Amino acid sequence: MKRFPIGLLAGFLALPPSALAPSALAEGLQPHKAVYTLALSRLKAGALSGASGTATYQLRDLCTAWSVSQKLEIEIVSGDGSTSTVGFQSATLEDKNAHHFVFRTVQSQDGQVTSETAGEATRQRHGQILVRYTRPEARSVTLPAQTVFPIQQTMALLAAARKKSLHLALDLFDGSSDTGSIPTYATLGSFTPHRASFSSPLLSGREAVPVSIASFGAGSGALLPDSAYSDVLWSNGVEDHLLIDFGDYVLSGALGSLTRLPVATCR
């Protein structure tokens, strides 16, 4: 699912892009399509009375790049019984060597687009990333060399968990913000056998690690996160047992279906 950003907190593990890019780290990722059922875990504030939805995540192997598509739809019920549907869709293409990233994201409410970002990001000779936006308007942004892309972040989480690291701080660029990268801070458990919420050969006999990620918002220097996300991350990159904190309410997510997609045969 969607991944996140990190601040400069004590005790963090910082991995340079060169340590995250090798394709050997990506060999364990299983291309797949996962559909999650989202249910209200708890209400924290506001005038809402309920929320539920679905989320779809698809990872495809294109030999030299990873193709990722995501779709999130949430129906929110207010205190007076009226409903509203919010949505998020994204499509990205991420070079396995972490040099190039193409993105498009669309957010909507009740079928009307509320925001959209699109463009491409290219890692320059000295590691800095040049982002060229085409939406919402044509503009360019330069990001620090330590910035990572979403699949890089997944690989970094798996690598840190294998090293028994407890924390991981990274600046993430996933294309969802038009102001650049997002600081994120992850807290990691240990790789152990877990019970999946859905029976599948892709999960049977594998280990997984609990992960919690706090996101501080693009360009934010805030001490408190503006969103949080946790899940169980399996050794092949599949996610399960989601918990998504939207501020006023928290949604839990369980696998409803999990489909194996082919691993590319590349020359």
Side-chain angles (χ1 to χ4, degrees), residues 9 31 38 51 102 108 112 121 134 151 196 203 207 220 241 246 257 264:
L9 304 180
L38 304 177
V102 181
S108 63
Q112 301 298 312
T134 57
I151 297 298
L203 305 179
E207 291 188 322
S220 172
H241 300 288
F246 289 97
S257 68

Side-chain angles (χ1 to χ4, degrees), residues 56-198:
T56 303
Y57 178 89
Q58 184 170 273
L59 173 69
R60 289 190 176 274
D61 184 358
L62 303 182
C63 288
T64 61
W66 295 107
S67 171
V68 175
S69 62
Q70 300 180 82
K71 184 177 182 180
L72 176 70
E73 289 189 343
I74 302 173
E75 183 178 82
I76 299 173
V77 183
S78 65
D80 62 6
S82 61
T83 62
S84 178
T85 301
V86 295
F88 171 87
Q89 294 186 65
S90 75
T92 62
L93 190 66
E94 182 174 337
D95 171 26
K96 289 185 179 180
N97 288 323
H99 290 153
H100 195 64
F101 182 68
V102 181
F103 60 92
R104 180 173 184 263
T105 69
V106 178
Q107 297 186 51
S108 63
Q109 182 169 356
D110 296 326
Q112 301 298 312
V113 174
T114 57
S115 67
E116 181 178 2
T117 59
E120 60 181 339
T122 304
R123 196 175 295 277
Q124 305 296 294
R125 180 178 178 183
H126 297 295
Q128 290 182 320
I129 295 174
L130 177 63
V131 182
R132 294 185 176 91
Y133 288 98
T134 57
R135 291 182 179 274
E137 61 183 7
R139 60 190 291 261
S140 296
V141 175
T142 300
L143 305 178
Q146 65 267 25
T147 304
V148 300
F149 300 133
I151 297 298
Q152 269 189 291
Q153 187 191 39
T154 298
M155 294 188 293
L157 290 169
L158 290 170
R162 292 187 183 108
K163 293 178 180 179
K164 302 185 184 302
S165 299
L166 299 179
H167 307 285
L168 177 64
L170 294 170
D171 283 351
L172 171 71
F173 181 78
D174 63 2
S176 64
S177 170
D178 64 358
T179 57
S181 59
I182 304 168
T184 66
Y185 184 80
T187 302
L188 305 168
S190 301
F191 267 117
T192 57
H194 276 261
R195 177 175 294 180
S197 63
F198 182 82

